[in-house]
Amino acid sequence: MKQIPMTVRGAELLREELDFLKNVRRPEIIKSIAEAREHGDLKENAEYHAAREQQGFCEGRIQEIEGKLGNSQIIDITKLPNNGKVIFGATVVLLNTSTDEEVTYQIVGDDEADIKKGLISVNSPIARGLIGKELDDSVSITTPGGVVEFDIIEINYI
């Protein structure tokens, strides 16, 4: 099976969610199902059906997280020597050459991506355009709004 790249932080967040689902959410749902069963006829018991549906979602998410963690390749960027290249996990400061606006992105796994926090997926067009580039390189990236030119002004392995 294909390995899924993930930062240390991303793996920790998934483990925390898994722990919550198994130790908090699952017992809550089991309790809800038991209470709904006490109300009698299960065919027309909306509470019972809603609790069973929640149980299905919870168990599905548990399986999904366990699968991702089982197939993950956790990359600790802080333990890699900074060779000046953009790699998975690197934090890159870019200068938009047309607007003189600076943006900072960290290249992370798909599950960790959150553009509002400056976390972009390794599979995004921006990340694919940056991987392998070096400090002071100019990069042309095709975005939905057209081609954007960036200068790489800083690369950090933090």
Side-chain angles (χ1 to χ4, degrees):
M1 196 154 198
K2 185 181 172 194
Q3 293 240 303
I4 301 167
M6 193 176 296
T7 64
V8 173
R9 189 178 138 280
E12 286 172 8
L13 290 174
L14 280 180
R15 283 191 199 101
E16 286 172 12
E17 182 181 355
L18 183 63
D19 182 59
F20 171 78
L21 290 173
K22 283 184 168 181
N23 299 315
V24 177
R25 191 72 184 121
R26 184 187 270 168
E28 288 174 352
I29 293 170
I30 291 170
K31 184 179 175 190
S32 296
I33 290 172
E35 288 173 3
R37 277 193 175 140
E38 292 173 4
H39 293 276
D41 186 14
L42 298 181
K43 285 184 197 171
E44 296 183 20
N45 188 332
E47 289 176 28
Y48 174 77
H49 292 290
R52 292 288 299 189
E53 190 173 308
Q54 287 178 347
Q55 183 182 37
F57 286 129
C58 181
E59 295 302 321
R61 182 66 180 153
I62 287 171
Q63 286 181 344
E64 180 184 3
I65 292 171
E66 287 175 340
K68 286 179 181 177
L69 288 172
N71 293 318
S72 67
Q73 178 184 7
I74 299 171
I75 299 168
D76 187 352
I77 190 73
T78 61
K79 293 196 164 87
L80 298 175
N82 188 338
N83 61 6
K85 289 192 181 243
V86 178
I87 60 172
F88 179 86
T91 301
V92 185
V93 181
L94 304 171
L95 177 68
N96 184 325
T97 57
S98 60
T99 64
D100 281 338
E101 182 182 338
E102 277 189 22
V103 289
T104 302
Y105 294 123
Q106 181 181 12
I107 300 171
V108 297
D110 290 332
D111 291 322
E112 305 168 71
D114 184 350
I115 193 70
K116 291 177 183 169
K117 294 180 180 176
L119 305 172
I120 58 172
S121 166
V122 67
N123 295 314
S124 70
I126 295 173
R128 286 196 312 257
L130 292 172
I131 297 286
K133 300 294 189 245
E134 296 181 354
L135 190 63
D136 297 326
D137 281 357
S138 290
V139 183
S140 297
I141 297 177
T142 304
T143 66
V147 177
V148 181
E149 292 280 331
F150 290 105
D151 289 335
I152 300 173
I153 56 176
E154 196 175 326
I155 302 171
N156 298 304
Y157 289 13
I158 51 176

